[in-house]
Amino acid sequence: MRILILYCEEGEGHAAAARTLARELAAAGAEVATHDALAGGLGRLIPLVSRDAYHLQTRFLRWTYGLEYLLFARLPPTRAVGRRGLAAFGGRPLRRLVASYAPDLVVSTHPSVTNVLGFLRRRGRLAAPVVATITDFGVHPLWSHRGVDLHLVMHESGRPAVERIAGRGSAQVVRAIVEREFRAPAPRAAARRELRLPADGGVALVSGGGWGVGDLGAAVAAALEVPGLSVVCLAGRNEQLRRRLAERFAGEPRVRVAGFTDRMPAYIAAADVLVDTTLGVTCLEAMASGRPVVAYGVPPGHSRGNARALARLGLATAPRTRPELVAELARLTGAPSPVAVANGAAVGAAEAILAARPRVQPRRTRPALVGGVATLAMLVFAGWTFASPRSYPVVASALELGVSSVPTGSPDVALVVETPRDAIPRLASTLQARGLHASFAVRAVPSAAERHSAVAAGDALVPELPHGGPVGVIRAPRDLRRLARGLELGHRFYFLVPRSGFTLGAYVAAKAAGGVPVTGARMDGSATLARLRPGSIVVVATDGGYARSSLAELAAALSSRRLRAVPLDELLP
């Protein structure tokens, strides 16, 4: 049996799954070929968007990948457009590539390839059956396609998500696709000797996958708060991140920073716990080895879906704050010898692939009207999303855009005051008398006297975006840059969003200018006061003749909770 395995070189997980399948299928007697579909199999545009842009997004603009994931993986209208785009740009070159191998069966380990192969099968342009492997636990709809004959999932919870898209009987649960070394790991002591790690005490392995994605530095710093815990941090092929982490922890003997490695079985065997920021194949390898998995510092997109799914299934923990991570690592360090986590599947992936049979593939041609309506709906939705203030809170919550509160162990609450500029000196004195300190939001560069009065009272100034709504998209970069220069804030700074409404388009424009939006809870009496917690951000709006009763009520609420009001720039670091 001649089998072609197609993967995409995006991180290491998809390629690792392809290598594992190739070895297992070859051992079963199949003739196997593997090919990176981004190298000549999906045209030129798809690699640019799928690999090259993704590489930049995960390093520098993570929120944009979260937005892309929301649009094309979670929303049906835009997802339909995405599928059509993949088929339009990748169908012909992938068909030629498959024909050059003349396989009896094709296996995909990547959603982009799965969608194009499913389209070709659905249209009758590919005779060989198609099997798709799904190594994620958070199975989003783009992993599945009605034209694929069989989907292999790693847990029973993934089957319903696939069958909703591809139809009943289209999914099968198989054992995790990992190399045999992870199923029978070396003894912990032997692995530590091989890697020259401390024989005594705990070892935490912090991994960012093949591309070094996620907040690895924060995870390492938290792990160091556990007494006696050694940390190995793997930055993958992200050499810039590896150097930065090596410099940051150069004086810490308990930390080892390494780049890409082919010794993952030994590292996982030597560790007490894996802290994973990507939740890909590495967490499968850890679970197969019996090592507990902690999700932390996960970037927006499908990785956060994986983290939520793993936590929901009890296969991993997902602490949200640094103190929670420290407590979790302390709990897991020195635990009894682990037992490998099984998913209950008796069938291996290679066995399921060899037994796969074609499903009925009715040829269906969608009318051009359907595609046109879907495209129009996507354009209308995108326009509303970027231009309407109503959509921003929903998108901001889903993608964690901006700052509304800060996780902290300090008894601090940031107070932001919106008031006319000429009222700042008088209000600063009043706040100081009540033991309150704040950041005053300004929409224009203040005078030297105004700045001096705020600073002398222990307060600070923060820019506020002058214009909300669609107008803010046009004026945001210019206004914010001018304010930032006037307040000497540098290239990256925080700003208060306007009361008149804030749009996703304005967010993108402000982000380009270096601004990070702060929303916080606007003071509306007892409701806001009841929600005061360490790290809260409270916004008080006055007309210059501020309500003394409101300030007195705020001061009393803070005092009763043993909290103190500080400026934004004191809380945010």
Side-chain angles (χ1 to χ4, degrees), residues 180-449:
R180 63 168 66 94
E181 290 86 354
F182 296 103
R183 301 188 186 281
R188 184 176 293 167
R192 292 190 180 183
R193 283 196 301 270
E194 176 187 343
L195 298 170
R196 297 182 180 179
L197 292 172
D200 300 322
V203 173
L205 180 63
V206 178
S207 172
W211 279 4
V213 175
D215 197 350
L216 301 182
V220 173
L224 288 174
E225 294 185 28
V226 180
L229 182 63
S230 299
V231 187
V232 176
C233 181
L234 302 180
R237 293 188 169 90
N238 191 339
E239 184 60 23
Q240 183 181 12
L241 174 64
R242 187 198 66 76
R243 289 196 302 267
R244 189 165 65 245
L245 292 173
E247 292 174 2
R248 176 177 175 181
F249 298 106
E252 179 51 69
R254 289 190 288 151
V255 176
R256 176 189 297 183
V257 179
F260 183 80
T261 179
D262 57 2
R263 304 172 75 181
M264 281 302 292
Y267 275 114
I268 289 180
D272 292 87
V273 58
L274 169 70
V275 181
D276 198 351
T277 61
T278 60
L279 285 304
V281 170
T282 304
C283 80
L284 281 178
E285 295 167 345
M287 287 190 292
S289 300
R291 299 311 188 255
V293 177
V294 177
Y296 187 80
V298 181
H302 69 281
S303 294
R304 287 190 181 169
N306 278 343
R308 287 190 291 268
L310 286 164
R312 186 174 61 251
L313 295 170
L315 299 176
T317 56
R320 295 179 59 86
T321 65
R322 179 164 169 168
E324 289 178 1
L325 174 60
V326 173
E328 187 65 16
L329 292 178
R331 182 182 71 84
L332 294 172
T333 301
S337 293
V339 178
V341 176
N343 60 10
V347 178
E351 184 180 350
I353 291 170
L354 292 171
R357 296 293 179 265
R359 288 195 300 155
V360 176
Q361 299 290 335
R363 184 172 179 175
R364 183 178 67 175
T365 303
R366 292 186 177 182
L369 177 61
V370 176
V373 170
T375 302
L376 179 62
M378 184 272 292
L379 293 174
V380 171
F381 178 80
W384 175 80
T385 301
F386 274 83
S388 172
R390 294 180 180 272
S391 67
Y392 177 78
V394 178
V395 178
S397 176
L399 303 182
E400 299 184 12
L401 304 180
V403 181
S404 58
S405 63
V406 178
T408 178
S410 302
D412 296 336
V413 171
L415 177 59
V416 183
V417 179
E418 292 178 301
T419 191
R421 283 171 45 193
D422 56 5
I424 290 178
R426 189 157 49 99
L427 188 54
S429 299
T430 301
L431 290 173
Q432 186 179 26
R434 295 187 177 276
L436 305 176
H437 297 283
S439 290
F440 291 96
V442 294
R443 298 187 176 190
V445 179
S447 66

Side-chain angles (χ1 to χ4, degrees), residues 466-485:
H467 304 283
V471 176
V473 178
I474 302 172
R475 299 185 178 181
R478 180 195 62 192
D479 292 341
L480 283 177
R481 287 195 186 98
R482 184 177 65 248
L483 276 170
R485 285 196 299 268

Side-chain angles (χ1 to χ4, degrees), residues 402-403 461-464 480 489 492-496 514-518 568-569 572-573:
V403 181
L461 301 173
V462 61
E464 179 179 8
L480 283 177
L489 297 178
R492 187 176 183 274
F493 55 90
Y494 294 91
F495 69 92
L496 184 67
V516 178
V518 172
L568 266 175
D569 58 1
L572 291 175

Side-chain angles (χ1 to χ4, degrees), residues 488-503:
E488 300 177 358
L489 297 178
H491 297 293
R492 187 176 183 274
F493 55 90
Y494 294 91
F495 69 92
L496 184 67
V497 301
R499 280 180 288 173
S500 56
F502 196 56
T503 67

